[in-house]
Amino acid sequence: MSEMPQLSRDYDPRQHNTSLAEKYGSLMELKRTYSLLPGLDLHGSEIGEWIGEKDRQHLITFPVNSEIMKMHTALDDHGVHVYPRHVIEEDSVLEIPKGTKLLRSVTNFIERDPEHYSVVFRLLGEELSVMHKSSIGTPVGNWLDRFAYSPDLEAEYGANLFFLPPYKTTHKKIDITADIGAQLADTTNLSETTIIKLMWETLDGWNRG
């Protein structure tokens, strides 16, 4: 398969947990185009992103005894949305729901349907607020690449936003509207009017969180 994420040289897929293959079928590395972790090659050998041969299940894996696992548990305990973690032998496994998109990908649809998609930034504000109040900190880097959107018919807005591994955070002081405005302006082609709307949606979520 072309455009595969490059894993570090010390990672050998042949040594991967055989029980994963028994449950999900042969594991294929996900094409970068469809990855929720576009910087996977920067995360070292601890994280893998896969499609299982059975049911085409999208998976993210990392070792049970790892800093990523500890951070996942802390985030979950503090009410931050992270994907449920399953343990199969030595692997932590996140099953990614069908229809999931990186938040950055969602921005491509906002101007076509602003009333439907802009609410996602309200969810972003809520997640950032929960993280900030819990003293965990806020995500390092551009938030558009740190969260994924997953449909959920039982959720208030028909979807949830989930923080993605490797769960890097910072305690740097933030200005919620200015920061998201700058990230949108610097890395998307959205109009100024749309960016201002999304800034207010994010602030609304922040105040609700």
Side-chain angles (χ1 to χ4, degrees):
M1 299 173 69
S2 61
E3 300 182 351
M4 292 295 186
Q6 296 296 311
L7 300 179
S8 63
R9 286 177 293 178
D10 60 347
Y11 186 86
D12 183 356
R14 292 171 299 180
Q15 297 176 2
H16 202 68
N17 188 333
T18 55
S19 294
L20 281 173
E22 291 173 4
K23 181 173 176 61
Y24 300 106
S26 298
L27 301 183
M28 299 172 286
E29 295 173 34
L30 198 65
K31 287 184 179 180
R32 188 180 295 274
T33 307
Y34 302 106
S35 175
L36 296 179
L37 309 174
L40 185 61
D41 51 313
L42 302 178
H43 303 325
S45 61
E46 285 200 322
I47 301 180
E49 192 173 13
W50 317 89
I51 287 291
E53 185 181 29
K54 296 179 182 177
D55 301 323
R56 308 296 293 176
Q57 176 65 57
H58 185 170
L59 305 170
I60 294 174
T61 62
F62 47 88
V64 169
N65 296 316
S66 65
E67 290 302 315
I68 299 173
M69 185 275 292
K70 293 176 185 176
M71 190 64 172
H72 183 284
T73 300
L75 290 162
D76 193 31
D77 288 346
H78 283 91
V80 178
H81 277 100
V82 288
Y83 289 108
R85 184 175 65 91
H86 308 283
V87 176
I88 300 180
E89 293 187 3
E90 298 302 316
D91 281 301
S92 294
V93 182
L94 310 183
E95 295 184 354
I96 308 303
K98 294 188 185 304
T100 293
K101 295 179 175 65
L102 191 65
L103 180 56
R104 176 174 297 283
S105 298
V106 175
T107 64
N108 297 327
F109 304 102
I110 284 175
E111 291 190 327
R112 302 181 206 171
D113 189 355
E115 295 307 315
H116 179 72
Y117 284 104
S118 61
V119 73
V120 176
F121 281 77
R122 196 177 308 165
L123 296 175
L124 173 63
E126 290 180 4
E127 291 302 311
L128 293 171
S129 180
V130 170
M131 294 177 72
H132 178 73
K133 290 176 180 177
S134 69
S135 300
I136 288 175
T138 51
V140 170
N142 194 308
W143 300 332
L144 303 180
D145 299 318
R146 301 296 176 261
F147 291 89
Y149 160 98
S150 291
D152 181 352
L153 296 179
E154 296 182 1
E156 181 180 0
Y157 301 116
N160 282 310
L161 213 59
F162 293 86
F163 189 32
L164 293 167
Y167 311 125
K168 300 295 185 182
T169 61
T170 176
H171 289 90
K172 178 182 177 181
K173 185 176 180 180
I174 66 170
D175 180 328
I176 191 69
T177 50
D179 289 351
I180 191 59
Q183 292 176 23
L184 288 165
D186 291 345
T187 63
T188 73
N189 295 315
L190 295 173
S191 68
E192 182 179 354
T193 300
T194 299
I195 289 174
I196 291 172
K197 177 177 175 57
L198 298 180
M199 289 168 63
W200 285 110
E201 290 281 5
T202 307
L203 178 61
D204 183 36
W206 174 269
N207 291 332
R208 290 168 179 245

